[in-house]
Amino acid sequence: MKILFVVPYPVSKAASQRYRVEQWLPVLQEQTINYKLAPFWDTATWAILYRKGYSLQKLSGLVKGMFKRLFLLAQLPAYDYIFIHREATPVGPPWFEWVAAKVFRKKIIFDFDDAIWMPNTTEDNSMASNYKWHQKTAQIIKWSYKVSAGNHYLQQYALNYDANAVYLPTVLNTTINYNRVKEQQTERVTIGWIGSHSTLPYLKLIEPVLQQLEQNYSFDFIVVADRKPDLNLRSLNFIVWSADTEIESLLKFNIGVMPLPNTEWAKGKCAFKALQYMALGIPVVVSEVGANVVAVPDGLAGFTCNTPQEWYQKLELLLQDADLRAKFGHTGKLWVAQTYSMSARQQNFLNLFT
C-alpha cells in the first residue's frame, strides 16, 4: 500500500498536522505501509506567512506551492490513497482534489479539524480571505472515499455530503510524549494556556476574570504561543512555543484553561488544548462549547463554564486546593489514555485505509 499525504504546512510546524498526520507515520512504518508527505508551504515562506509585510515573498511562496501541486499530479498514479489534510491549496477552487478524484479516480481521504467551510477572517489572513474558496469543503467531502472529522460537530456537517464520514479525534501519544504527571504540591500556582496566534484573541474572554483573581491571589499566568498576547495582567509570563520544549512548557501549569466564544466556528474546535493538559495530569477549566463538553469530564477532571462567575469560582477552587488539582489530574490522565490516546484510536486511523 502507498499513501500520499497532501498537507498544508512544513513538517513539525503546525499542531493540527503534527498530531493528525505526522505522529501516525511511525504506525504506518510498523505496518510496512509506504507513504510520502507533500507540504504546500515551504519552511521559508511559513516563517513569514503570518507576519506583517513580506508580500512579495508570500506571493512567491504561494506560486511555488501551486507549482508543486501541479507537478504532484503526475505522481498520483503511484498511490493507492490520497490523504488530504484540510485542503490541497490555501486559496482558489479545489482543482487538485477534483483532478485526483475525477480524472485519476483516486480514493481520497479528507481530514479536517476546524469548521473550515465558514469564513473566519482575522487581521493575519484578511488579504488571503478574499481568495479563499470556503465552499470547496463540501465539494471535497462529496468527492472523498472517506472523511475523518476531528469532532462530532464536524462529522455531522460532513455526513450531509458523504455517508462515510467518521469521527476521529486528535489524539496524544501517552506512552512516549505525554507520559509524565504534573506535581501539584508546588510553591507557586500557575494557570496556563497554550495555542497559536489564531486563538490568542480567545484569552480576552477571561482577562477580566484573571484580573479579578489577581486582586485576591498570587499566581502566574503563562501563555505558550508563537506570539506574545495583548493582555493587561501583572501575572502574565510569555513562553515562545517550540515543538522541542512543548511538554516542558505545559508541565509548568498547575491548571490549564481553554476559553472559547459560543460561535459556530468555535464549535468546530476539537478541545485539543484541554486534552494536552489532562494527558499530563493537569486539571482544566474550559468554556462549555462544542467538543469541550465531550472531552472534559465536568467535576471529575476539570470544569466546564458558561459565565465569568463560573470561571472565577472554578479557578479559585483549584487555586486553593492542591489535593483537588492532583485528584482531577489523575482522573484526566486516565481518561485521555483510555479515550484520546494513539493506542485507543490506532485501529480507527488504520481503518481509513481499508
Side-chain angles (χ1 to χ4, degrees):
M1 186 190 300
K2 294 185 70 176
I3 304 167
L4 176 63
F5 287 93
V6 179
V7 295
Y9 316 114
V11 175
S12 81
K13 297 299 182 182
S16 66
Q17 185 172 299
R18 285 190 301 120
Y19 286 100
R20 293 193 66 80
V21 177
E22 293 168 23
Q23 74 170 345
W24 288 114
L25 300 182
V27 172
L28 297 181
Q29 291 176 336
E30 292 171 4
Q31 302 289 323
T32 64
I33 296 173
N34 296 312
Y35 63 84
K36 176 182 177 178
L37 209 64
F40 181 91
W41 297 109
D42 60 33
T43 304
T45 309
W46 176 253
I48 51 95
L49 191 61
Y50 293 102
R51 294 167 64 183
K52 290 183 179 180
Y54 302 96
S55 298
L56 286 178
Q57 293 96 319
K58 292 174 185 177
L59 181 59
S60 175
L62 178 66
V63 172
K64 183 179 177 181
M66 289 293 188
F67 272 108
K68 285 195 296 185
R69 288 290 181 256
L70 189 61
F71 295 140
L72 192 61
L73 290 175
Q75 302 177 34
L76 295 187
Y79 294 93
D80 300 294
Y81 296 94
I82 313 299
F83 186 105
I84 298 173
H85 176 57
R86 295 178 70 97
E87 57 192 0
T89 60
V91 295
W95 57 270
F96 181 92
E97 293 91 339
W98 184 87
V99 172
K102 300 300 183 180
V103 177
F104 289 97
R105 301 290 180 181
K106 288 298 173 180
K107 292 179 177 178
I108 291 178
I109 297 166
F110 180 57
D111 174 75
F112 69 124
D113 61 345
D114 269 320
I116 54 176
W117 68 90
M118 298 180 190
N120 184 48
T121 304
T122 66
E123 184 180 347
D124 294 305
N125 70 1
S126 58
M127 183 177 294
S129 66
N130 296 324
Y131 305 98
K132 288 280 188 180
W133 198 282
H134 298 289
Q135 65 268 34
K136 71 180 176 183
T137 304
Q139 294 173 306
I140 299 169
I141 291 171
K142 288 178 183 177
W143 303 332
S144 295
Y145 170 66
K146 290 182 181 179
V147 176
S148 167
N151 68 32
H152 293 99
Y153 178 78
L154 303 177
Q155 182 194 20
Q156 287 303 310
Y157 172 81
L159 285 170
N160 292 321
Y161 307 100
D162 189 332
N164 292 317
V166 298
Y167 163 60
L168 182 60
T170 308
V171 296
L172 298 161
N173 189 327
T174 55
T175 59
I176 299 178
N177 301 324
Y178 288 81
N179 59 354
R180 297 164 66 181
V181 180
K182 170 65 180 180
E183 170 56 54
Q184 289 293 347
Q185 299 292 339
T186 54
E187 200 170 303
R188 188 169 176 84
V189 179
T190 295
I191 301 171
W193 179 93
I194 190 169
S196 69
H197 61 273
S198 64
T199 48
L200 271 174
Y202 298 156
L203 287 175
K204 285 290 184 181
L205 297 170
I206 60 169
E207 183 179 26
V209 173
L210 295 170
Q211 288 171 338
Q212 187 180 357
L213 283 167
E214 285 180 337
Q215 304 305 312
N216 302 311
Y217 300 95
S218 179
F219 62 91
D220 291 321
F221 182 64
I222 293 180
V223 171
V224 182
D226 56 347
R227 185 178 302 173
K228 189 173 183 179
D230 178 23
L231 296 171
N232 184 21
L233 296 170
R234 65 170 183 266
S235 60
L236 178 63
N237 288 279
F238 172 60
I239 298 176
V240 178
W241 177 88
S242 164
D244 295 331
T245 59
E246 183 174 48
I247 302 297
E248 292 300 326
S249 296
L250 285 166
L251 284 168
K252 296 180 186 295
F253 302 177
N254 295 93
I255 305 162
V257 295
M258 185 178 175
L260 283 177
N262 191 7
T263 63
E264 294 303 304
W265 173 262
K267 289 176 184 176
K269 293 295 178 183
C270 294
F272 186 62
K273 294 175 180 55
L275 297 177
Q276 287 182 284
Y277 307 147
M278 290 188 292
L280 293 170
I282 301 167
V284 299
V285 184
V286 304
S287 296
E288 192 174 317
V289 175
N292 285 355
V293 179
V294 177
V296 177
D298 187 35
L300 297 173
F303 298 108
T304 57
C305 302
N306 279 310
T307 65
Q309 292 76 20
E310 287 182 0
W311 271 94
Y312 184 91
Q313 291 166 3
K314 302 310 183 185
L315 286 172
E316 181 181 47
L317 185 60
L318 290 170
L319 280 170
Q320 293 176 316
D321 195 335
D323 291 336
L324 181 63
R325 295 198 302 269
K327 179 182 176 182
F328 276 19
H330 175 77
T331 302
K333 186 170 183 63
L334 184 62
W335 165 250
V336 171
Q338 292 175 339
T339 317
Y340 293 96
S341 65
M342 286 186 69
S343 56
R345 299 288 178 172
Q346 177 172 315
Q347 195 55 51
N348 299 98
F349 176 75
L350 292 175
N351 286 345
L352 294 172
F353 309 102
T354 57

